[in-house]
Amino acid sequence: MKKSILATAFATTLTIGSLAGISIGKAELAKSTQEHLVASTNWFQTSAENKALQIQIYNQAKEELAEIIADKKKKDKQAKKKGLHPAVVLDLDETVLDNSPHTAWAIKNNAAYPAGWADWVKMAKADLIPGAKDFLLAADKMGVEIFYVSNRTVEEKEDTMKNLKLHGLPNVDDKHLLLKATTSQKGPRQAEISKTNEIVMLIGDNANDLSDIFYKADLKTRFENVDKIAGELGTKYIQLPNPMYGDWEGAIYNYKFDKTDDQKTMDRYNVLKPMK
């Protein structure tokens, strides 16, 4: 298993966990409950491929949005009436804001979410996902209204707005920042936006950010439901990568996050599809 391989590779004691000052040796490292996040976090933080993919996705979304807005203006003119104002709806975490430093901290401190999350949000210093700002500024210039629909809590609004404003992003205000009040399901909040705007594009790192057909769905249903939106992927629905966490993982556990670490490990192994 990866745990034993990794532990063997570290023959000496390492000092990790900068916030907590934890000293951890190879025996403790082998017992880590967060080791399964190391490779995905390495990829997210250090790979040229991830950065290229994020920029590519946002570049393509920008081009697609320009075409959508041009077509909408043409249709409005032909109909001799102006339709609802166009809007783009984006998730925040791992879509606009890069929270991988929190995941890295959790790994080094052998701490499971939500440990450390409140402190990270309070810091309000998350960097941006590459390509996000260029897209958002371009959308704003096109006259598109931007809404941020996130499952950060309403209690985290002030610090979240501070973080977004730090980067000079458009439409950062109470109207355009819709955080979780009672449910993580985003459909109801998107429906509220649809009362005054035409949502022409949805962007997120979690399929649930794009459509409620993925919400709390099992692994098989989530996989099959991609086919239902396949014709609009890359146009209306823009999917970003996130191998660190998401409802793809929740579905593996049947959304039973209170399972033990050993049970979750077994669930992850049991869904693997090896060669025969």
Side-chain angles (χ1 to χ4, degrees):
M1 293 175 65
K2 289 183 178 179
K3 290 181 182 179
S4 60
I5 294 172
L6 185 59
T8 302
F10 285 79
T12 57
T13 298
L14 304 177
T15 299
I16 61 177
S18 58
L19 295 181
I22 292 176
S23 180
I24 184 168
K26 62 180 182 179
E28 288 80 7
L29 189 60
K31 298 176 183 177
S32 171
T33 62
Q34 305 301 307
E35 192 276 328
H36 65 285
L37 292 172
V38 173
S40 58
T41 306
N42 286 157
W43 185 85
F44 198 87
Q45 291 189 324
T46 69
S47 73
E49 291 81 359
N50 184 40
K51 183 177 181 180
L53 187 58
Q54 291 166 328
I55 293 173
Q56 173 181 285
I57 290 170
Y58 270 119
N59 282 347
Q60 292 175 338
K62 183 167 54 179
E63 293 178 7
E64 186 62 37
L65 184 60
E67 291 184 18
I68 291 171
I69 298 307
D71 288 344
K72 178 174 171 52
K73 288 180 178 178
K74 184 177 180 180
K75 290 178 181 178
D76 287 350
K77 186 175 181 180
Q78 291 174 340
K80 296 183 179 180
K81 66 176 182 179
K82 192 173 183 179
L84 292 175
H85 197 83
V88 170
V89 175
L90 303 95
D91 173 53
L92 280 182
D93 298 317
E94 279 51 72
T95 298
V96 176
L97 297 175
D98 176 1
N99 302 289
S100 61
H102 169 260
T103 306
W105 175 88
I107 293 168
K108 290 193 172 188
N109 287 277
N110 199 22
Y113 179 86
W117 176 251
D119 292 333
W120 170 249
V121 172
K122 192 73 175 175
M123 291 178 190
K125 63 177 185 180
D127 289 332
L128 295 179
I129 295 297
K133 184 171 183 177
D134 286 345
F135 171 82
L136 290 167
L137 293 179
D140 185 50
K141 191 174 181 178
M142 292 178 206
V144 177
E145 203 162 356
I146 298 161
F147 289 86
Y148 306 99
V149 179
S150 168
N151 280 333
R152 290 188 175 202
T153 66
V154 292
E155 290 78 17
E156 295 169 330
K157 176 176 279 191
E158 183 179 346
D159 293 319
T160 300
M161 289 181 68
K162 180 181 177 181
N163 200 158
L164 295 173
K165 288 179 178 179
L166 173 69
H167 298 292
L169 301 184
N171 291 166
V172 180
D173 52 44
D174 289 334
K175 175 186 175 182
H176 296 93
L177 181 59
L178 286 71
L179 304 183
K180 181 176 73 174
T182 58
T183 176
S184 60
Q185 189 172 8
K186 293 189 173 182
R189 281 171 278 171
Q190 293 167 357
E192 284 299 312
I193 296 170
S194 293
K195 291 178 180 179
T196 56
N197 296 77
E198 178 186 352
I199 299 177
V200 298
M201 184 176 285
L202 297 103
I203 306 177
D205 65 293
N206 191 333
N208 296 6
D209 300 327
L210 310 182
S211 172
D212 270 358
I213 64 173
F214 297 99
Y215 184 71
K216 297 297 183 184
D218 60 43
L219 275 177
K220 184 174 182 292
T221 302
R222 291 184 95 249
F223 204 77
E224 292 175 347
N225 279 350
V226 173
D227 294 329
K228 295 181 179 180
I229 65 169
E232 294 181 289
L233 280 170
T235 54
K236 181 176 181 179
Y237 302 113
I238 309 298
Q239 179 73 60
L240 284 154
N242 181 0
M244 298 181 293
Y245 68 89
D247 281 273
W248 62 266
E249 183 185 10
I252 291 174
Y253 310 142
N254 291 315
Y255 303 101
K256 296 176 181 178
F257 292 101
D258 59 348
K259 287 186 175 184
T260 66
D261 292 323
D262 286 344
Q263 288 173 327
K264 289 178 180 178
T265 297
M266 289 306 302
D267 284 347
R268 291 193 297 271
Y269 273 83
N270 287 337
V271 299
L272 291 172
K273 299 177 181 180
M275 62 181 183
K276 297 179 181 179

